[in-house]
């Protein structure tokens, strides 16, 4: 089975692009499926199912969504194999930009749109930087010049990637993206493979459900900003003022 | 390459690849620029150095593409949707030529344009092959170096960046590493103003240009600054710009212009019309002398309609036309 990880900020067109691309691959007689990762809620599974694409969804809920992804990805691959898929695609939403679900040895695709502003490629981080293929969507509604400037910014952040323009609505460019997906190698397991980027180091009281603010409640991996506060300013007072 | 790069001084690197400065700035390493005599590997860490080497290699490929201009594009016919051989077995479009693409919805117009954009090698549903200057081109045109064969212009496009005309054009020129950027920016503005007929100032925000001004600026910018040798136009609306002059600007810059249109005036302005049906190019029509002569009459009709529109807008009644 071929396995492709697709990531990108919310609403850039990941689902639209995956659907258009998988339609071509389905059309060639291959069985395709999707696992969708999100934080709190998603309706994407309905969209996939409507097109006859088997889908499983995972909601991270209170957990860090990227940690949730790595903890479940091997089981997803096994689900794909058990379902008899020829191609499995994972869709994960943008999450925190500090992370990326990309795995060494598995084709990594990052989707971003032309509307996200020229600084976006730099801000998006590992998700974009560590991708093999960068898909840029929504080129139909901005000028050619803006497309070129945006693509140049992407190239600056990730010079090695193939950059493809795909229209999530008409599907223009999706056939071509599909040839890259079909050309990737077979994956039988991701066990033992490594993430391209380490996940953020974080285990603090807030990870464990703390909601109160103040130094007294902050345990574990906590780091303070350097704000140059004047001496005497309250920096460690904990909960102050009226109860 | 990253190994030798690390040993070079900052000054040497910038002398050889001026665009490396932009890379360092993007990485938040602008301070490196102030230390020309230092070896690069002293001031830049190994992962950044590696990216920089890759960036330089890609930029060289990207800029090097200017060496051999795309003079012609050949489409070798494949098969129609029903599997039969494509009636037009070969079509060559030359720089400076305008081809119109006509055919009903679902006939395969978008597929043809996508085949060109992907520089098909028998690996698309149509089985077509696309050659550049008579040869099978390398992978570069498939997004590998961020190179794209086709620039696009459609009615749905709007500017979205929050910049003035001048800053916007400078940004585009900079991202293209264009030589003589100031001259190019001036030229784009001059042409855009001629096309639109209603002049705009260089400090106008691009998002507040009128429809005609935006379209005019997009066309002039594609002509002068776009890296892509082929321009795909999806109908240019009639309002607000001189369409003949728009095509002339693109032709003059040696673009290959492909225009999907069902507007008779635009269709007759093309050098040839490619008729699409059933997923195939079914024939290529060169407008006859008769057709060309009709263009004059069509333009007169068009001018009359425009005048009526103007009168409506001015609140007049159209009992006399
Ligand atoms: N104009 C335009 N809209 C697009 C394009 N791709 C996706 N969209 C729209 O963008 C919205 C978000 O797309 P979706 O696939 O749900 O994004 P996701 O959250 O990244 O999965 C939808 O309304 C899509 O129809 C595109 O190329 N052009
Ligand atoms: N020669 C062909 N063989 C197989 N499928 C084709 C061929 N030409 C076009 N198609 C498919 O037919 C559909 C309609 O074509 P499209 O290019 O979108 O038409 P148009 O743009 O003219 O409305 C698309 O799914 C396209 O991939
Ligand atoms: Mg989605
Ligand atoms: Mg179409």
């Amino acid at each position: 089975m071929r396995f492709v990880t697709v990531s990108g900020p919310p609403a850039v067109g990941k689902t639209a692009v995956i659907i258009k691309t998988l339609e071509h691959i389905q059309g060639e007689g291959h069985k395709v499926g999707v696992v969708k990762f999100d934080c709190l809620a998603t309706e994407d599974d309905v969209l996939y199912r409507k097109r006859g694409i088997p889908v499983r969804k995972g909601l991270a809920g209170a957990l860090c969504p990227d940690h949730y992804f790595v903890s479940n990805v091997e089981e997803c691959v096994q689900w794909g194999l058990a379902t008899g898929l020829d191609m499995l695609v994972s869709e994960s939403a943008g999450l925190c930009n500090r992370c990326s679900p990309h795995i060494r040895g598995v084709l990594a695709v990052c989707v971003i749109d032309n509307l996200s502003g020229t600084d976006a490629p730099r801000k998006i981080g590992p998700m974009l930087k560590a991708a093999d293929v960068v898909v840029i969507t929504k080129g139909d509604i901005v000028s050619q010049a803006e497309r070129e400037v945006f693509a140049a910014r992407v190239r600056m952040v990730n010079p090695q990637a193939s950059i493809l323009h795909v229209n999530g609505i008409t599907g223009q460019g999706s056939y071509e993206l599909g040839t890259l997906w079909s050309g990737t190698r077979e994956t039988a397991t991701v066990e033992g493979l490594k993430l391209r980027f380490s996940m953020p180091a974080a285990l603090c009281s807030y990870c464990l459900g703390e909601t109160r603010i103040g130094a007294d409640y902050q345990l574990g991996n906590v780091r303070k900003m350097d704000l140059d506060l004047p001496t005497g300013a309250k920096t460690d007072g904990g909960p102050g003022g009226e109860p | 390459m990253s190994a030798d790069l690390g040993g070079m001084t900052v000054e040497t690197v910038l002398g050889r690849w001026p665009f490396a400065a932009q890379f360092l700035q993007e990485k938040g390493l602008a301070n490196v620029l102030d230390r020309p005599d230092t070896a690069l590997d002293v001031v830049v860490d190994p992962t950044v150095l590696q990216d920089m080497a890759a960036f330089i290699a890609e930029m060289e490929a990207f800029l090097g593409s200017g060496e051999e201009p795309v003079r012609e594009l050949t489409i070798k016919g494949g098969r129609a949707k029903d599997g039969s051989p494509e009636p037009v077995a070969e079509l060559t479009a030359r720089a400076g030529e305008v081809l119109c693409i006509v055919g009903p919805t679902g006939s395969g117009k978008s597929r043809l344009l996508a085949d060109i954009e992907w520089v098909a090698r028998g690996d698309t549903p149509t089985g077509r092959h696309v050659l550049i200057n008579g040869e099978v081109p390398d992978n570069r045109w498939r997004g590998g170096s961020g190179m794209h064969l086709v620039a696009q212009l459609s009615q749905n496009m709007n500017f979205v960046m929050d910049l003035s005309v001048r800053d916007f054009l400078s940004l585009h020129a900079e991202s293209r590493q264009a030589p003589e950027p100031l001259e190019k920016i001036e030229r784009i503005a001059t042409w855009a103003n001629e096309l639109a007929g209603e002049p705009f100032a260089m400090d106008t925000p691009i998002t507040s240009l009128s429809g005609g001004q935006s379209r005019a600026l997009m066309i002039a910018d594609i002509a002068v600054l776009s890296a892509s040798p082929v321009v795909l136009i999806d109908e240019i609306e009639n309002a607000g710009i001189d369409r003949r002059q728009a095509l002339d600007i693109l032709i003059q810059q040696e673009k290959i212009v492909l225009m999907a249109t069902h507007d008779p005036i635009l269709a007759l302005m093309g050098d040839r019309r490619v008729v699409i049906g059933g997923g195939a190019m079914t024939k290529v029509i060169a407008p006859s002398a008769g057709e060309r002569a009709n263009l004059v009459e069509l333009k007169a009709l068009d001018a009359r309609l425009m005048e009526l529109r103007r009168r409506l807008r001015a609140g007049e009644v159209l009992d006399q036309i």
Side-chain angles (χ1 to χ4, degrees), chain A residues 14 24 31 33 53 116 120 169 230:
Chain A
K14 295 180 296 299
H24 296 294
K31 193 159 178 208
I53 300 175
S116 38
I169 292 179

Side-chain angles (χ1 to χ4, degrees), chain A residues 170 172, chain B residues 104-111 113 234 260:
Chain A
T170 64
Q172 195 179 347
Chain B
T105 303
S107 58
K109 298 184 296 295
S110 299
R111 185 64 254 165
L113 299 165
D234 193 2

Side-chain angles (χ1 to χ4, degrees), chain A residues 129 141 144 146 148 163 176, chain B residues 51 111 152 160 172 226:
Chain A
K129 202 176 146 37
I141 47 181
Q144 173 69 24
E146 286 161 313
E148 291 184 10
I163 301 175
E176 292 71 16
Chain B
D51 275 358
R111 185 64 254 165
Q152 294 187 30
V160 294
H172 191 198
S226 172

